[in-house]
Amino acid sequence: MTQCYLNKMPFSMFKTIEGFSDVIAAHWAERPNYGGGELAQDFAKSLEAMNAELVAYVLHRQDDNAIVGYAVFADLLNPYKEDSVLASNVALYIDPSLRGAGYGKAFIEAIEADMYNEGYDGVVLQFKPYAVPTTLLSSLGYEPSEVQYMKLLEK
């Protein structure tokens, strides 16, 4: 695995990073049944519509500064413990050509360390059913907690 570094910033700054549009487009191209359009702009608009404090983490390759992956997190009140805040991902992406090489594990561990230092009580990771890295998550101590079903309403 090539040396990488983690960059943390408010989501509003994430949109200004060189290569943002290409990385977002690659991420959304993996998603089945996504309705095209200007992918990076659509993604940014959907996150801004959440009206939440969003934090972005970007994993860069050291040698050429290329984006290896990114994650966007929002605060989530812990429904099981009073006065407890969790960090919940809105997006988590690693370049498909680099998956299985340790980047995802290093990325998640670095994010967890930062979340711990920021005072979060836990991390909630959500994935699309076709993209759950079960072995990786289990090796990092994650356990399944809820299953969600979604249906888009035709208009």
Side-chain angles (χ1 to χ4, degrees):
M1 182 172 82
T2 305
Q3 289 291 329
C4 293
Y5 67 94
L6 188 66
N7 191 1
K8 177 184 174 184
M9 67 199 72
F11 179 72
S12 58
M13 290 185 64
F14 175 46
K15 298 182 298 182
T16 66
I17 291 178
E18 183 178 338
F20 167 79
S21 294
D22 295 337
V23 171
I24 299 298
H27 181 187
W28 287 91
E30 285 187 14
R31 299 173 147 232
N33 305 319
Y34 184 72
E38 294 294 323
L39 298 171
Q41 288 75 19
D42 290 349
F43 175 72
K45 286 178 189 172
S46 69
L47 290 180
E48 288 169 350
M50 290 176 58
N51 198 22
E53 291 288 326
L54 299 173
V55 175
Y57 292 88
V58 184
L59 188 64
H60 294 272
R61 211 170 24 224
Q62 193 94 22
D63 56 1
D64 62 2
N65 208 34
I67 297 174
V68 171
Y70 73 92
V72 179
F73 282 84
D75 290 356
L76 174 68
L77 294 178
N78 186 342
Y80 306 107
K81 184 178 177 190
E82 192 173 335
D83 296 327
S84 175
V85 179
L86 307 172
S88 178
N89 75 306
V90 178
L92 180 61
Y93 174 80
I94 295 289
D95 182 325
S97 68
L98 301 173
R99 292 178 189 161
Y103 289 98
K105 182 177 182 180
F107 192 30
I108 291 171
E109 287 175 331
I111 290 169
E112 287 175 355
D114 185 71
M115 295 293 184
Y116 179 82
N117 290 333
E118 291 289 329
Y120 286 91
D121 296 307
V123 178
V124 176
L125 297 178
Q126 302 175 61
F127 296 91
K128 298 299 178 198
Y130 58 86
V132 179
T134 308
T135 303
L136 169 62
L137 295 176
S138 295
S139 75
L140 292 171
Y142 286 84
E143 299 175 3
S145 65
E146 296 181 15
V147 176
Q148 297 179 337
Y149 288 86
M150 180 178 77
K151 176 182 177 181
L152 298 176
L153 301 176
E154 306 254 347
K155 293 185 179 185

Short mmCIF file of all heavy atoms in Angstrom, two decimals, residues 65-119:
data_model
loop_
_atom_site.label_atom_id
_atom_site.label_comp_id
_atom_site.label_asym_id
_atom_site.label_seq_id
_atom_site.Cartn_x
_atom_site.Cartn_y
_atom_site.Cartn_z
N ASN A 65 -0.71 13.01 -4.58
CA ASN A 65 -1.83 13.76 -4.01
C ASN A 65 -3.20 13.33 -4.55
O ASN A 65 -4.20 13.99 -4.31
CB ASN A 65 -1.61 15.27 -4.23
CG ASN A 65 -2.28 16.09 -3.15
OD1 ASN A 65 -2.36 15.66 -2.00
ND2 ASN A 65 -2.76 17.26 -3.51
N ALA A 66 -3.25 12.24 -5.30
CA ALA A 66 -4.52 11.77 -5.87
C ALA A 66 -5.47 11.34 -4.74
O ALA A 66 -5.02 10.86 -3.69
CB ALA A 66 -4.28 10.61 -6.82
N ILE A 67 -6.76 11.50 -4.96
CA ILE A 67 -7.76 11.07 -3.99
C ILE A 67 -7.94 9.56 -4.09
O ILE A 67 -8.29 9.04 -5.14
CB ILE A 67 -9.10 11.79 -4.22
CG1 ILE A 67 -8.92 13.31 -4.01
CG2 ILE A 67 -10.16 11.25 -3.27
CD1 ILE A 67 -10.16 14.11 -4.37
N VAL A 68 -7.68 8.88 -2.98
CA VAL A 68 -7.84 7.43 -2.91
C VAL A 68 -9.26 7.09 -2.45
O VAL A 68 -9.85 6.13 -2.89
CB VAL A 68 -6.81 6.84 -1.92
CG1 VAL A 68 -7.08 5.37 -1.64
CG2 VAL A 68 -5.40 7.04 -2.45
N GLY A 69 -9.81 7.93 -1.57
CA GLY A 69 -11.15 7.71 -1.07
C GLY A 69 -11.63 8.92 -0.31
O GLY A 69 -10.87 9.86 -0.05
N TYR A 70 -12.90 8.89 0.05
CA TYR A 70 -13.46 9.98 0.85
C TYR A 70 -14.61 9.44 1.69
O TYR A 70 -15.16 8.38 1.42
CB TYR A 70 -13.96 11.13 -0.03
CG TYR A 70 -15.23 10.83 -0.78
CD1 TYR A 70 -16.46 11.16 -0.23
CD2 TYR A 70 -15.22 10.21 -2.01
CE1 TYR A 70 -17.64 10.86 -0.89
CE2 TYR A 70 -16.37 9.92 -2.69
CZ TYR A 70 -17.59 10.25 -2.13
OH TYR A 70 -18.75 9.95 -2.78
N ALA A 71 -14.93 10.19 2.72
CA ALA A 71 -16.07 9.85 3.58
C ALA A 71 -16.70 11.17 4.04
O ALA A 71 -16.01 12.17 4.21
CB ALA A 71 -15.62 9.04 4.78
N VAL A 72 -18.00 11.15 4.21
CA VAL A 72 -18.73 12.31 4.73
C VAL A 72 -19.54 11.81 5.92
O VAL A 72 -20.24 10.80 5.82
CB VAL A 72 -19.64 12.94 3.66
CG1 VAL A 72 -20.40 14.13 4.22
CG2 VAL A 72 -18.84 13.34 2.42
N PHE A 73 -19.43 12.52 7.04
CA PHE A 73 -20.10 12.13 8.27
C PHE A 73 -20.98 13.24 8.81
O PHE A 73 -20.69 14.41 8.63
CB PHE A 73 -19.08 11.76 9.36
CG PHE A 73 -18.48 10.40 9.19
CD1 PHE A 73 -17.40 10.20 8.34
CD2 PHE A 73 -19.01 9.31 9.87
CE1 PHE A 73 -16.85 8.95 8.19
CE2 PHE A 73 -18.47 8.05 9.72
CZ PHE A 73 -17.39 7.87 8.88
N ALA A 74 -22.05 12.84 9.50
CA ALA A 74 -22.94 13.76 10.21
C ALA A 74 -23.12 13.25 11.63
O ALA A 74 -22.93 12.06 11.90
CB ALA A 74 -24.30 13.84 9.51
N ASP A 75 -23.49 14.15 12.53
CA ASP A 75 -23.78 13.75 13.90
C ASP A 75 -25.09 12.98 13.95
O ASP A 75 -26.02 13.28 13.21
CB ASP A 75 -23.91 14.98 14.81
CG ASP A 75 -22.58 15.67 15.04
OD1 ASP A 75 -21.56 15.17 14.57
OD2 ASP A 75 -22.59 16.72 15.70
N LEU A 76 -25.16 12.01 14.84
CA LEU A 76 -26.36 11.22 15.05
C LEU A 76 -26.54 11.02 16.55
O LEU A 76 -25.62 10.53 17.22
CB LEU A 76 -26.20 9.85 14.36
CG LEU A 76 -27.29 8.82 14.56
CD1 LEU A 76 -28.59 9.27 13.87
CD2 LEU A 76 -26.86 7.48 13.99
N LEU A 77 -27.68 11.43 17.07
CA LEU A 77 -27.94 11.19 18.49
C LEU A 77 -28.11 9.70 18.70
O LEU A 77 -28.79 9.02 17.94
CB LEU A 77 -29.20 11.94 18.94
CG LEU A 77 -29.10 13.46 18.91
CD1 LEU A 77 -30.43 14.08 19.33
CD2 LEU A 77 -27.97 13.95 19.81
N ASN A 78 -27.47 9.19 19.74
CA ASN A 78 -27.54 7.77 20.06
C ASN A 78 -28.94 7.46 20.61
O ASN A 78 -29.28 7.96 21.69
CB ASN A 78 -26.46 7.42 21.07
CG ASN A 78 -26.37 5.94 21.35
OD1 ASN A 78 -27.28 5.18 21.07
ND2 ASN A 78 -25.25 5.54 21.93
N PRO A 79 -29.73 6.65 19.92
CA PRO A 79 -31.09 6.37 20.40
C PRO A 79 -31.12 5.46 21.64
O PRO A 79 -32.15 5.31 22.27
CB PRO A 79 -31.75 5.67 19.22
CG PRO A 79 -30.63 5.07 18.45
CD PRO A 79 -29.44 5.97 18.66
N TYR A 80 -29.98 4.89 22.00
CA TYR A 80 -29.94 3.94 23.10
C TYR A 80 -29.30 4.49 24.36
O TYR A 80 -29.26 3.82 25.40
CB TYR A 80 -29.20 2.67 22.67
CG TYR A 80 -29.79 2.07 21.42
CD1 TYR A 80 -29.11 2.16 20.21
CD2 TYR A 80 -31.04 1.47 21.44
CE1 TYR A 80 -29.67 1.63 19.05
CE2 TYR A 80 -31.59 0.94 20.28
CZ TYR A 80 -30.90 1.03 19.10
OH TYR A 80 -31.45 0.52 17.96
N LYS A 81 -28.73 5.71 24.28
CA LYS A 81 -28.03 6.26 25.45
C LYS A 81 -28.17 7.78 25.45
O LYS A 81 -27.81 8.44 24.48
CB LYS A 81 -26.55 5.86 25.39
CG LYS A 81 -25.76 6.28 26.59
CD LYS A 81 -24.32 5.80 26.47
CE LYS A 81 -23.51 6.28 27.65
NZ LYS A 81 -22.08 6.03 27.45
N GLU A 82 -28.67 8.30 26.54
CA GLU A 82 -28.87 9.74 26.66
C GLU A 82 -27.53 10.48 26.64
O GLU A 82 -26.53 9.99 27.15
CB GLU A 82 -29.61 10.05 27.97
CG GLU A 82 -30.13 11.46 28.05
CD GLU A 82 -31.00 11.68 29.28
OE1 GLU A 82 -31.58 10.70 29.79
OE2 GLU A 82 -31.08 12.83 29.70
N ASP A 83 -27.52 11.66 26.04
CA ASP A 83 -26.32 12.51 25.96
C ASP A 83 -25.15 11.81 25.27
O ASP A 83 -24.00 11.97 25.66
CB ASP A 83 -25.89 13.00 27.34
CG ASP A 83 -26.93 13.89 28.00
OD1 ASP A 83 -27.61 14.63 27.25
OD2 ASP A 83 -27.06 13.84 29.23
N SER A 84 -25.46 11.03 24.28
CA SER A 84 -24.44 10.31 23.53
C SER A 84 -24.59 10.65 22.05
O SER A 84 -25.68 10.60 21.50
CB SER A 84 -24.61 8.81 23.76
OG SER A 84 -23.72 8.08 22.96
N VAL A 85 -23.47 11.01 21.43
CA VAL A 85 -23.49 11.36 20.01
C VAL A 85 -22.61 10.40 19.24
O VAL A 85 -21.48 10.10 19.63
CB VAL A 85 -23.01 12.82 19.79
CG1 VAL A 85 -23.01 13.16 18.31
CG2 VAL A 85 -23.87 13.80 20.57
N LEU A 86 -23.15 9.92 18.15
CA LEU A 86 -22.43 9.03 17.25
C LEU A 86 -22.08 9.79 15.97
O LEU A 86 -22.73 10.78 15.64
CB LEU A 86 -23.30 7.82 16.89
CG LEU A 86 -23.90 7.04 18.06
CD1 LEU A 86 -24.89 6.01 17.55
CD2 LEU A 86 -22.80 6.39 18.87
N ALA A 87 -21.11 9.32 15.26
CA ALA A 87 -20.80 9.85 13.93
C ALA A 87 -21.33 8.84 12.93
O ALA A 87 -21.03 7.65 13.01
CB ALA A 87 -19.30 10.03 13.76
N SER A 88 -22.15 9.31 12.00
CA SER A 88 -22.77 8.42 11.01
C SER A 88 -22.34 8.83 9.62
O SER A 88 -22.44 10.01 9.25
CB SER A 88 -24.29 8.48 11.13
OG SER A 88 -24.90 7.67 10.17
N ASN A 89 -21.87 7.86 8.84
CA ASN A 89 -21.44 8.21 7.49
C ASN A 89 -22.63 8.45 6.57
O ASN A 89 -23.65 7.79 6.65
CB ASN A 89 -20.50 7.15 6.90
CG ASN A 89 -21.22 5.89 6.47
OD1 ASN A 89 -21.94 5.30 7.27
ND2 ASN A 89 -21.03 5.49 5.24
N VAL A 90 -22.46 9.43 5.72
CA VAL A 90 -23.42 9.72 4.66
C VAL A 90 -22.86 9.13 3.37
O VAL A 90 -23.60 8.74 2.48
CB VAL A 90 -23.62 11.24 4.53
CG1 VAL A 90 -24.55 11.59 3.40
CG2 VAL A 90 -24.12 11.82 5.84
N ALA A 91 -21.55 9.06 3.30
CA ALA A 91 -20.87 8.45 2.15
C ALA A 91 -19.53 7.92 2.62
O ALA A 91 -18.91 8.48 3.52
CB ALA A 91 -20.66 9.49 1.05
N LEU A 92 -19.10 6.83 2.02
CA LEU A 92 -17.78 6.26 2.29
C LEU A 92 -17.36 5.55 1.02
O LEU A 92 -18.07 4.67 0.53
CB LEU A 92 -17.83 5.28 3.47
CG LEU A 92 -16.53 4.61 3.87
CD1 LEU A 92 -15.49 5.62 4.30
CD2 LEU A 92 -16.77 3.61 4.99
N TYR A 93 -16.22 5.95 0.47
CA TYR A 93 -15.81 5.45 -0.85
C TYR A 93 -14.30 5.27 -0.90
O TYR A 93 -13.55 6.12 -0.44
CB TYR A 93 -16.25 6.45 -1.92
CG TYR A 93 -15.78 6.14 -3.31
CD1 TYR A 93 -16.45 5.20 -4.08
CD2 TYR A 93 -14.69 6.79 -3.87
CE1 TYR A 93 -16.02 4.91 -5.37
CE2 TYR A 93 -14.27 6.51 -5.15
CZ TYR A 93 -14.93 5.57 -5.90
OH TYR A 93 -14.52 5.29 -7.17
N ILE A 94 -13.88 4.15 -1.47
CA ILE A 94 -12.48 3.88 -1.79
C ILE A 94 -12.44 3.53 -3.28
O ILE A 94 -13.28 2.77 -3.76
CB ILE A 94 -11.91 2.70 -0.96
CG1 ILE A 94 -11.87 3.04 0.53
CG2 ILE A 94 -10.52 2.30 -1.46
CD1 ILE A 94 -10.84 4.06 0.93
N ASP A 95 -11.46 4.06 -3.98
CA ASP A 95 -11.30 3.77 -5.41
C ASP A 95 -11.35 2.25 -5.62
O ASP A 95 -10.61 1.51 -4.97
CB ASP A 95 -9.94 4.32 -5.87
CG ASP A 95 -9.68 4.12 -7.34
OD1 ASP A 95 -10.08 3.09 -7.91
OD2 ASP A 95 -9.03 5.01 -7.92
N PRO A 96 -12.23 1.78 -6.51
CA PRO A 96 -12.39 0.33 -6.71
C PRO A 96 -11.09 -0.39 -7.08
O PRO A 96 -10.89 -1.54 -6.70
CB PRO A 96 -13.41 0.22 -7.84
CG PRO A 96 -14.12 1.52 -7.86
CD PRO A 96 -13.15 2.54 -7.33
N SER A 97 -10.21 0.28 -7.80
CA SER A 97 -8.96 -0.37 -8.21
C SER A 97 -8.01 -0.58 -7.03
O SER A 97 -7.03 -1.32 -7.15
CB SER A 97 -8.27 0.45 -9.30
OG SER A 97 -7.80 1.68 -8.79
N LEU A 98 -8.31 0.04 -5.89
CA LEU A 98 -7.44 -0.06 -4.72
C LEU A 98 -8.05 -0.86 -3.58
O LEU A 98 -7.43 -1.05 -2.54
CB LEU A 98 -7.09 1.34 -4.21
CG LEU A 98 -6.38 2.24 -5.23
CD1 LEU A 98 -6.23 3.65 -4.69
CD2 LEU A 98 -5.02 1.65 -5.59
N ARG A 99 -9.26 -1.34 -3.77
CA ARG A 99 -9.93 -2.10 -2.72
C ARG A 99 -9.22 -3.44 -2.50
O ARG A 99 -8.72 -4.05 -3.43
CB ARG A 99 -11.39 -2.33 -3.08
CG ARG A 99 -12.17 -1.02 -3.05
CD ARG A 99 -13.60 -1.18 -3.44
NE ARG A 99 -14.20 0.14 -3.59
CZ ARG A 99 -15.32 0.37 -4.25
NH1 ARG A 99 -15.98 -0.62 -4.81
NH2 ARG A 99 -15.77 1.60 -4.35
N GLY A 100 -9.19 -3.86 -1.25
CA GLY A 100 -8.54 -5.13 -0.90
C GLY A 100 -7.05 -4.97 -0.63
O GLY A 100 -6.36 -5.94 -0.33
N ALA A 101 -6.54 -3.74 -0.72
CA ALA A 101 -5.11 -3.51 -0.53
C ALA A 101 -4.80 -2.85 0.82
O ALA A 101 -3.67 -2.44 1.05
CB ALA A 101 -4.56 -2.63 -1.66
N GLY A 102 -5.81 -2.72 1.69
CA GLY A 102 -5.58 -2.15 3.01
C GLY A 102 -5.95 -0.69 3.15
O GLY A 102 -5.91 -0.14 4.25
N TYR A 103 -6.31 -0.02 2.06
CA TYR A 103 -6.66 1.40 2.13
C TYR A 103 -7.93 1.63 2.95
O TYR A 103 -8.00 2.55 3.76
CB TYR A 103 -6.85 1.99 0.73
CG TYR A 103 -5.58 2.13 -0.05
CD1 TYR A 103 -5.21 1.18 -0.99
CD2 TYR A 103 -4.74 3.22 0.16
CE1 TYR A 103 -4.04 1.30 -1.72
CE2 TYR A 103 -3.56 3.36 -0.57
CZ TYR A 103 -3.22 2.39 -1.51
OH TYR A 103 -2.05 2.52 -2.21
N GLY A 104 -8.95 0.80 2.74
CA GLY A 104 -10.20 0.96 3.47
C GLY A 104 -10.01 0.81 4.97
O GLY A 104 -10.52 1.61 5.75
N LYS A 105 -9.25 -0.19 5.36
CA LYS A 105 -9.00 -0.42 6.79
C LYS A 105 -8.24 0.76 7.39
O LYS A 105 -8.62 1.27 8.45
CB LYS A 105 -8.21 -1.71 6.99
CG LYS A 105 -7.95 -2.02 8.45
CD LYS A 105 -7.24 -3.35 8.64
CE LYS A 105 -7.07 -3.61 10.12
NZ LYS A 105 -6.40 -4.85 10.39
N ALA A 106 -7.19 1.19 6.72
CA ALA A 106 -6.41 2.33 7.23
C ALA A 106 -7.27 3.59 7.30
O ALA A 106 -7.16 4.37 8.26
CB ALA A 106 -5.20 2.57 6.33
N PHE A 107 -8.12 3.78 6.32
CA PHE A 107 -9.00 4.96 6.26
C PHE A 107 -9.98 4.94 7.44
O PHE A 107 -10.11 5.92 8.17
CB PHE A 107 -9.73 4.95 4.93
CG PHE A 107 -10.45 6.23 4.58
CD1 PHE A 107 -9.99 7.47 5.02
CD2 PHE A 107 -11.55 6.20 3.77
CE1 PHE A 107 -10.65 8.64 4.67
CE2 PHE A 107 -12.22 7.36 3.40
CZ PHE A 107 -11.77 8.59 3.85
N ILE A 108 -10.65 3.80 7.63
CA ILE A 108 -11.63 3.71 8.72
C ILE A 108 -10.94 3.88 10.08
O ILE A 108 -11.44 4.57 10.96
CB ILE A 108 -12.43 2.39 8.64
CG1 ILE A 108 -13.35 2.42 7.41
CG2 ILE A 108 -13.25 2.17 9.91
CD1 ILE A 108 -14.03 1.10 7.10
N GLU A 109 -9.79 3.26 10.26
CA GLU A 109 -9.06 3.39 11.54
C GLU A 109 -8.66 4.84 11.80
O GLU A 109 -8.75 5.32 12.94
CB GLU A 109 -7.85 2.47 11.55
CG GLU A 109 -8.23 1.02 11.70
CD GLU A 109 -7.04 0.07 11.60
OE1 GLU A 109 -6.05 0.39 10.93
OE2 GLU A 109 -7.13 -1.01 12.21
N ALA A 110 -8.22 5.56 10.77
CA ALA A 110 -7.84 6.97 10.95
C ALA A 110 -9.05 7.82 11.29
O ALA A 110 -8.98 8.70 12.15
CB ALA A 110 -7.16 7.48 9.67
N ILE A 111 -10.18 7.54 10.64
CA ILE A 111 -11.42 8.28 10.94
C ILE A 111 -11.87 7.99 12.37
O ILE A 111 -12.24 8.89 13.12
CB ILE A 111 -12.52 7.93 9.92
CG1 ILE A 111 -12.16 8.51 8.54
CG2 ILE A 111 -13.88 8.44 10.38
CD1 ILE A 111 -13.03 8.00 7.42
N GLU A 112 -11.84 6.72 12.77
CA GLU A 112 -12.22 6.36 14.14
C GLU A 112 -11.35 7.09 15.17
O GLU A 112 -11.87 7.58 16.18
CB GLU A 112 -12.06 4.85 14.36
CG GLU A 112 -13.09 4.00 13.69
CD GLU A 112 -12.79 2.52 13.86
OE1 GLU A 112 -11.73 2.17 14.43
OE2 GLU A 112 -13.61 1.72 13.43
N ALA A 113 -10.06 7.16 14.94
CA ALA A 113 -9.15 7.84 15.87
C ALA A 113 -9.53 9.31 15.98
O ALA A 113 -9.57 9.87 17.09
CB ALA A 113 -7.70 7.68 15.41
N ASP A 114 -9.83 9.94 14.86
CA ASP A 114 -10.23 11.35 14.90
C ASP A 114 -11.56 11.51 15.62
O ASP A 114 -11.72 12.43 16.43
CB ASP A 114 -10.32 11.92 13.48
CG ASP A 114 -10.60 13.41 13.52
OD1 ASP A 114 -9.70 14.18 13.91
OD2 ASP A 114 -11.75 13.80 13.20
N MET A 115 -12.51 10.64 15.34
CA MET A 115 -13.82 10.72 16.00
C MET A 115 -13.67 10.53 17.51
O MET A 115 -14.31 11.22 18.30
CB MET A 115 -14.78 9.66 15.45
CG MET A 115 -15.14 9.83 14.00
SD MET A 115 -16.11 11.31 13.76
CE MET A 115 -16.45 11.19 12.02
N TYR A 116 -12.82 9.62 17.93
CA TYR A 116 -12.55 9.41 19.35
C TYR A 116 -12.00 10.69 19.98
O TYR A 116 -12.45 11.14 21.03
CB TYR A 116 -11.58 8.24 19.54
CG TYR A 116 -11.23 7.97 20.97
CD1 TYR A 116 -12.06 7.22 21.79
CD2 TYR A 116 -10.07 8.51 21.54
CE1 TYR A 116 -11.75 6.98 23.12
CE2 TYR A 116 -9.75 8.28 22.87
CZ TYR A 116 -10.60 7.52 23.65
OH TYR A 116 -10.29 7.30 24.96
N ASN A 117 -11.03 11.29 19.31
CA ASN A 117 -10.42 12.53 19.82
C ASN A 117 -11.42 13.69 19.85
O ASN A 117 -11.27 14.61 20.65
CB ASN A 117 -9.20 12.91 19.00
CG ASN A 117 -8.04 11.95 19.22
OD1 ASN A 117 -7.94 11.33 20.28
ND2 ASN A 117 -7.20 11.82 18.22
N GLU A 118 -12.40 13.66 18.98
CA GLU A 118 -13.43 14.70 18.93
C GLU A 118 -14.53 14.47 19.97
O GLU A 118 -15.43 15.28 20.11
CB GLU A 118 -14.06 14.77 17.54
CG GLU A 118 -13.12 15.30 16.46
CD GLU A 118 -12.84 16.79 16.60
OE1 GLU A 118 -13.72 17.53 17.07
OE2 GLU A 118 -11.73 17.19 16.24
N GLY A 119 -14.50 13.32 20.65
CA GLY A 119 -15.46 13.05 21.72
C GLY A 119 -16.68 12.25 21.32
O GLY A 119 -17.62 12.11 22.10
#
